[in-house]
Amino acid sequence: MPATHALEIPELFANVGRFLPLWTVVLCPRRGLEVIRFRPHTLHSCSLVSKVWRSTLIPILWHTYDNVGMEYVPQEVIARYSLHFKKVYVRDHDPGNLHCTNLVELHLSSLSPISPMMSVDAQRQLILANPRLRILHWGCSPATNNTLDPEDFAALKNIEHLGISDWNVSGGALGNTLKGLAGSLTKLSVFKVRGAEDGILSIIPTGVDDNGNTDTVSGESMRDNDTLVLPMIRTIFISRTPPFGPQPADLVRHCPNLRNLSVALGANTDLDRLSKTIRTHCPTLDALYLLEYGSSTNKVDRSSRLIMDTFGSGPGKLATLCLTLIEAGPRLISAILLNASALENLKITYITRVIDMDGVLTLLRGCSQLKVFTLSMQGRPCTDIDIINKVDKLGSKPWGCGGLKKFELHISGDHSRGKSNETTGEAEDDDWVGFDVASLISRTHGWCLHHRKSNYQGVDSSLWNKDYMRRLFKLVNGLERLDHLIVGGMMFSCVHRPVGLVAKAFTDGM
């Protein structure tokens, strides 16, 4: 049917939207940062232009509903406009009756056992009313012990991403659920669940009782768990270790086309089974995310062991490797270098204060295909002299990753004005720079600070040591393909100039 109004033509409507001042950039005087703020009066004014404008804008305004921050909106108002919802986030609070039937994304979660959450029956009805869902994250109340019911997912023929949390998945509940979604599911996220013992993906066929006995009609047996194949799944995320999460191998073995695996490694994780399963069943795996759980006193080098056991017998194939480490064992660097010929994205997060900077330098020299490298340290802040020494260590030898495009360094520092320094004595005010001054310093070295693309949430102070900033820019001098430098939440973009001018700016500035 031809459009009857200009706003009904998507291309024209998009052009109109470019000129609507929905957002405004203001300067926060306390820290000198640019902040983007929403201007709701713009939408209100547009909706008063005519009925066509109103009918066009209302679905956009109510496209996404998140009940956090909308607790005081009358439920009758939410119910009236819920027909326009496409994405819904319900967390803890009961939003009342929702009449939406065209959802593509739904998130149901409860973080507190005492919050007035939607009843499980109401949640089920909401899911059944939206068969076109593509993304579903369903978290049960932690205070209950509800068992996952495969029938709740029977109508979801287009589901691509399923996330579950705090459900009881025993008795074949998860296996039967995934079997019904095998034709469309590409990503599976499993958070804290109950009943995650061995055989979590057992398939209990029709006619089998709780003891595994079959009837004479079906003739099937409990051995059918071997027939479960999830060919569409490319990504698996497991955030908890047994007994609060499944053994990763129990899920991985059913996904022959798995590309991305993110798992938590704890004391109860069966590393041998997982390693063997990846080698046998996942020939296309090329991205691995490992998060170590436990105490730093337990010096079990789980990440290194898993990597070496999985990829030690042949050339590495991982293009992406992200590690969050409790303790960096002596085999860590060797394990990572097994994939040096293929590794393009490497991220290492140290939970403890100890960082093997010599090992990090070895990685930068040996991983020639790296395009993105991130080094992060959590825990107690370092002194400024410690941070400078770490930066100097990285620059002590030339790197082998000449194609690096993005370099991130997040080492928390104690940036206190007037802090004494072992080498320079008492720091003067001029030795500290704010974000605006940091931008001026960086511009002279071929870099520009982007306020809007920076994330200052993890920055403890708006002050940075000038010497540290200069050394940091000098560190990346010569990386001709480097486009982005991110340090402490500040994002710098390369100002493309001839290499000779950039090198001269470094020489003159230092």
Side-chain angles (χ1 to χ4, degrees), residues 10-285:
E11 293 79 7
L12 291 180
F13 183 63
N15 285 330
V16 172
R18 297 176 188 274
F19 297 96
L20 296 180
L22 299 177
W23 308 92
T24 183
V25 179
V26 298
L27 186 66
C28 179
R30 185 173 64 88
R31 300 186 63 182
L33 305 180
E34 290 180 341
V35 179
I36 300 177
R37 291 180 178 172
F38 178 57
R39 297 177 60 181
H41 294 294
T42 299
L43 276 180
H44 180 259
S45 299
C46 291
S47 66
L48 298 178
V49 173
S50 67
K51 290 183 179 180
V52 174
W53 275 79
R54 178 178 175 83
S55 62
T56 302
L57 291 175
I58 288 298
I60 297 175
L61 181 63
W62 289 97
H63 176 275
T64 301
Y65 168 76
D66 190 335
N67 69 339
V68 174
M70 298 189 70
E71 298 90 342
Y72 302 106
V73 177
Q75 290 191 349
E76 56 269 21
V77 174
I78 296 174
R80 183 192 314 155
Y81 292 104
S82 61
L83 290 171
H84 302 294
F85 293 169
K86 291 294 192 299
K87 298 181 181 181
V88 168
Y89 298 79
V90 178
R91 311 169 194 183
D92 290 330
H93 300 283
D94 187 352
N97 295 324
L98 299 180
H99 306 298
C100 41
T101 58
N102 297 306
L103 292 182
V104 296
E105 187 171 338
L106 176 60
H107 298 257
L108 301 169
S109 62
S110 178
L111 302 178
S112 172
I114 61 175
S115 296
M117 180 65 176
M118 287 179 69
S119 68
V120 175
D121 289 338
Q123 296 177 40
R124 288 192 170 107
Q125 291 301 318
L126 183 59
I127 292 173
L128 292 174
N130 290 274
R132 286 180 287 273
L133 276 172
R134 295 202 301 266
I135 299 176
L136 173 61
H137 285 203
W138 198 0
C140 192
S141 173
T144 64
N145 190 31
N146 290 307
T147 300
L148 204 65
D149 187 353
E151 292 298 322
D152 294 333
F153 305 87
L156 303 180
K157 303 302 182 183
N158 301 311
I159 195 75
E160 297 174 2
H161 181 188
L162 175 64
I164 59 172
S165 177
D166 286 300
W167 284 95
N168 189 321
V169 296
S170 61
L174 182 57
N176 283 282
T177 297
L178 295 180
K179 186 177 182 179
L181 304 177
S184 62
L185 194 63
T186 61
K187 182 176 181 180
L188 174 64
S189 300
V190 180
F191 301 91
K192 182 181 178 181
V193 293
R194 302 176 180 88
E197 68 283 345
D198 289 347
I200 186 176
L201 292 191
S202 296
I203 303 299
I204 299 182
T206 304
V208 176
D209 60 24
D210 293 338
N211 297 321
N213 300 317
T214 61
D215 58 22
T216 58
V217 176
S218 65
E220 296 176 294
S221 70
M222 289 292 286
R223 299 295 181 182
D224 274 1
N225 63 316
D226 290 333
T227 66
L228 176 62
V229 179
L230 303 170
M232 303 295 293
I233 286 188
R234 301 294 186 269
T235 302
I236 289 181
F237 174 84
I238 305 172
S239 68
R240 293 297 185 98
T241 61
F244 303 109
Q247 285 290 350
D250 288 333
L251 295 178
V252 170
R253 68 187 300 268
H254 298 279
C255 306
N257 298 311
L258 189 66
R259 298 290 303 273
N260 303 277
L261 176 61
S262 177
V263 294
L265 301 180
N268 297 324
T269 304
D270 193 334
L271 298 178
D272 292 334
R273 279 185 58 198
L274 179 56
S275 174
K276 183 179 179 179
T277 300
I278 294 175
R279 294 196 309 269
T280 305
H281 298 281
C282 304
T284 61
L285 185 72

Side-chain angles (χ1 to χ4, degrees), residues 282-293:
C282 304
T284 61
L285 185 72
D286 60 5
L288 189 60
Y289 305 79
L290 303 177
L291 170 63
E292 294 185 357
Y293 267 92

Side-chain angles (χ1 to χ4, degrees), residues 299-302 304-305 308 325 327-337 356 359:
K299 301 182 183 298
V300 179
D301 196 3
R302 301 187 186 99
S304 301
R305 177 183 165 188
M308 298 196 77
L325 306 169
E327 192 75 27
R331 301 193 302 168
L332 176 65
I333 304 303
S334 299
I336 296 176
L337 288 175
D356 179 11

